[in-house]
Amino acid sequence: MIATLGPTFLRPTFLVADVVRALTLVSLVVASIGWGGTAFPVMALSLLGVVVPRMLGLRPAFDVLVCVLVLVAGWSSVFEWYTSLFLWDKFFHVVLTGLLAAVLYVIGSDLRAVAAPSEEPRVVVAVLALAAGLAIGAVWEMGEWLGHNFVDSAIYVGYDDTIGDLAADGAGGLLIGFGLPWLSARRTVLRPGERLPR
């Protein structure tokens, strides 16, 4: 993983996503003070979710999309939209988990655990992204179960909901996998000591 946080801060390429990152930091404070309970850990997780794409130097469209969806997902939890808005939960399990699976694939590629998306057949990339989506979904569902049993019983869990969420996670990973060669291209990466051209 190649950090790009410092030298590229507020550069035009990253500006929109950096504004969303700043809003996420503000949201962490506002949600924690205004709603308390599980709002802090949820928004703290959201903050992590918007920082990692920046560290990876993802192409701007990919970066912005991940950041906006992560921020909306955090507030959706705070406002309990997942249980009050029809299919809101499933939408985020497909779209956001799919994008996070793509981020996980990029990390794996940087660590040389998997080949770069451009070096593998598209079907292979899609299947690996599906596996990443299912892995992210499994960790999330275990986190929900732990939260329900040990933090706040209002956190909704249920067998049908869990299976449906995991199916949506896998579908999101599979779908985004076909677009991964495009999403992972044109990254801004800086190695230690390297500077952006003026």
Side-chain angles (χ1 to χ4, degrees):
M1 201 181 322
I2 305 165
T4 61
L5 279 170
T8 59
F9 184 64
L10 290 181
R11 290 276 181 157
T13 301
F14 296 100
L15 184 57
V16 175
D18 283 344
V19 169
V20 179
R21 277 181 267 274
L23 288 173
T24 307
L25 179 60
V26 171
S27 294
L28 171 64
V29 176
V30 172
S32 300
I33 294 172
W35 285 267
T38 59
F40 174 77
V42 166
M43 296 310 294
L45 195 57
S46 297
L47 187 60
L48 175 64
V50 299
V51 169
V52 170
R54 184 65 154 79
M55 295 175 68
L56 294 171
L58 299 179
R59 71 183 306 155
F62 189 7
D63 189 11
V64 170
L65 195 54
V66 170
C67 290
V68 168
L69 285 171
V70 164
L71 179 57
V72 174
W75 278 111
S76 295
S77 178
V78 172
F79 292 138
E80 300 182 354
W81 289 345
Y82 294 123
T83 53
S84 61
L85 296 179
F86 181 63
L87 293 181
W88 192 252
D89 181 44
K90 295 300 180 277
F91 170 79
F92 274 90
H93 273 279
V94 172
V95 179
L96 180 56
T97 304
L99 288 170
L100 293 179
V103 170
L104 186 59
Y105 193 109
V106 169
I107 293 171
S109 175
D110 282 357
L111 296 174
R112 301 187 184 204
V114 294
S118 59
E119 298 171 1
E120 287 278 17
R122 203 161 283 220
V123 172
V124 173
V125 174
V127 170
L128 289 171
L130 181 153
L134 289 173
I136 292 168
V139 171
W140 182 259
E141 295 302 322
M142 285 186 276
E144 280 190 345
W145 181 86
L146 288 169
H148 173 81
N149 285 282
F150 300 107
V151 179
D152 186 352
S153 60
I155 297 173
Y156 181 73
V157 294
Y159 184 77
D160 290 342
D161 178 66
T162 297
I163 295 301
D165 288 351
L166 288 173
D169 295 330
L174 181 65
L175 291 172
I176 210 74
F178 287 104
L180 242 172
W182 181 85
L183 288 171
S184 62
R186 294 178 57 195
R187 292 171 60 194
T188 301
V189 290
L190 293 177
R191 302 185 186 281
E194 190 177 0
R195 307 184 70 157
L196 280 175
R198 296 244 176 223

